[in-house]
Amino acid sequence: MHTNSKAYLFGGGIGSLAAAAFMIRDGNVPGPNISILEMAPVMGGSLDGAGDPIAGYSMRGGRMLTTDNYECTWDLYKSIPSLNHEGKSVFEETVEFNETHKSNAMARLLDKRRAKVPVASMGFSMQDRMELLKLSQTNEDTLAASCITDWLSPPFFETEFWYMWSTTFAFQPWHSAVEFKRYLLRFVLEFSRIETLAGVKRTIYNQYDSLVLPLQTWLRAQGVHLITDCKVTGLDHKIEDGAFIVTGIHCVRRGKNDVIPIDDDDLVFMQNASMTDASSLGSMTNAPPELTKADSGGWTLWEKLAAGRPEFGNPAAFNSSIAQACWESFTVTLKDPAFFDRMIEFSGNQPGTGGLVTFKDSNWLMSIVLAYQPHFRNQPAGVQVFWGYSLFPDRVGNFVPKPMAACNGAEILRELCGHLRFDLETVASANCIPCRMPYITSMFMPRVRGDRPLPVPRGSKNLAFVSQFVEITDDVVFTVEYSVRAAQIAVYELLEIDRAIPPVTPHAKSLHAQFDALIKAFQ
Ligand SMILES: Cc1cc2nc3c(=O)[nH]c(=O)nc-3n(C[C@H](O)[C@H](O)[C@H](O)COP(=O)(O)OP(=O)(O)OC[C@H]3O[C@@H](n4cnc5c(N)ncnc54)[C@H](O)[C@@H]3O)c2cc1C
């Protein structure tokens, strides 16, 4: 890349924002040479979070991070100044925050009697232990496109371990055995603390305010062009000496068609699909509309590009079944402390220390999280916000005779209060905004080698993929880390940067010994 070359990235999630920062910090690319094209009105992608006490707050997700993993994320955020504490980095402020607000869940699982389920034991039988060991020792080519249910028998899915692990990480029994194995290895340290979530680190506010905003502020100060309302619809390319070279980007910017010419020395970073593609919001009176990929276009580009080019992956492995990939979250804004007071009294946890509370017998498999307050930078005193989600929105509720997918915010609150045995008056002031995400676990769908392209696909001269749908050895999807690592790999490779990328920490080096010791301890 020459000093006057340009870099174009689309869309504007943490992956692209991180790639821009790595280009500037480690590749000496001038900020004004970089443009990020995002179809939404704001940057941040899945790390959204916005609202006010009147309209209600909303965020699609609430994130758990760790400092034992997330190597590339913290490598980045050690260089990004905090917006809250002058002279500190985002990494430093996050670590300090977690030193004073430690996770120690005391009501991780509740049963249908609203009793706290004892979780000191994982509930494994000898058969579960043997099957887990076998799965963890089988190589990825053998696991191939198999599902978790191909390796673990039905009783495993009734263990306390499964309820905690599946709701912490959003796994379903039909998901990829390869990805499940990778999670066991990557998060092996969580085994011994999954019942309290003691290893989990939180950001001070929601992740838009705590991760996106400071990074975006830094990029803007470097002169990066952050272009919103700009949807990329196609790429022109040529093949030269067998190499794939992007020559133009077609986009619709504020309703107008445009073509951005791309020189051979320019770089293009493409978002090949997103877990929040086609997501939609409801309200207290309306369920979210049921959108599909046809309504969003996010997947379409990858499908067009990959047709007939196996090196660009196989989107159909991930986007062919909404029934297996969809779930719903909801954000609740309260103007009366009654609900938080009851939860503190009942769970024994102050907001920000409890992690997930899961109703393990609920038909929807519902969980809620009460984060430290305020959870939004603009959230006034006297207003409280919490987030929840359900893994089975297609099932009829226990207290509302409807699938969650057909429920509005008021009905979701009725179901929640039913499980908690709280009077509806505790949520009388609540505004609950549901969010349907039809592709939220599409990254977990069974896959084979080659279904995901490399961050810089073989034969590509100036095109890279940055997303959750690229192949990175040993790392795990459904994490901020995966997109940031993809960004770092893509940037370093295309710019030939001679700086080591932080490796995936080998916590699982002695996995089998650890596994043995742990499962013996859980007998
Ligand atoms: C509910 C939920 C819970 C989560 N929990 C955790 C957690 O606990 N821990 C954790 O580490 N991670 C978690 N994650 C995952 C994490 O948020 C994501 O992995 C990460 O944010 C993905 O970033 P990305 O940049 O790859 O893609 P996204 O953030 O999805 O960004 C994609 C962007 O591309 C844009 N776009 C798509 N197509 C086009 C186009 N054609 N033209 C222009 N723009 C386009 C989209 O509008 C979007 O803004 C969670 C995510 C969700 C939704």
Side-chain angles (χ1 to χ4, degrees), residues 339 342 417 420-428:
F339 184 86
R342 293 290 310 274
C417 285
L420 282 167
R421 300 290 192 269
F422 284 4
D423 293 324
L424 276 176
E425 287 84 78
T426 53
V427 290

Side-chain angles (χ1 to χ4, degrees), residues 10-16 37-40 44-47 60-65 70 230-233 271 274-277 297-298 301 327 387 437 440 466-468 478-481 483:
F10 61 93
I14 189 72
S16 291
L37 317 175
E38 165 57 51
M39 63 193 244
S46 299
L47 299 184
R60 285 178 286 206
R63 276 138 207 106
M64 295 175 274
L65 313 170
Y70 289 76
C230 179
K231 179 175 177 176
V232 173
T233 51
Q271 176 81 40
S274 159
M275 65 182 74
T276 50
D277 235 10
L301 263 182
W327 48 255
W387 179 85
M437 295 174 284
I440 183 67
V466 173
S467 74
Q468 296 283 305
F478 215 150
T479 58
V480 168
E481 174 68 10
S483 297

Side-chain angles (χ1 to χ4, degrees), residues 32 67 74 87 159 187 198 269 278 283 294-295 328 343 355 398 406 480 492 511:
T67 42
W74 300 128
T159 60
F187 292 123
F269 296 82
S283 67
D295 301 294
E328 258 193 60
M343 277 302 291
N398 302 83
V480 168
Y492 281 28
L511 174 78

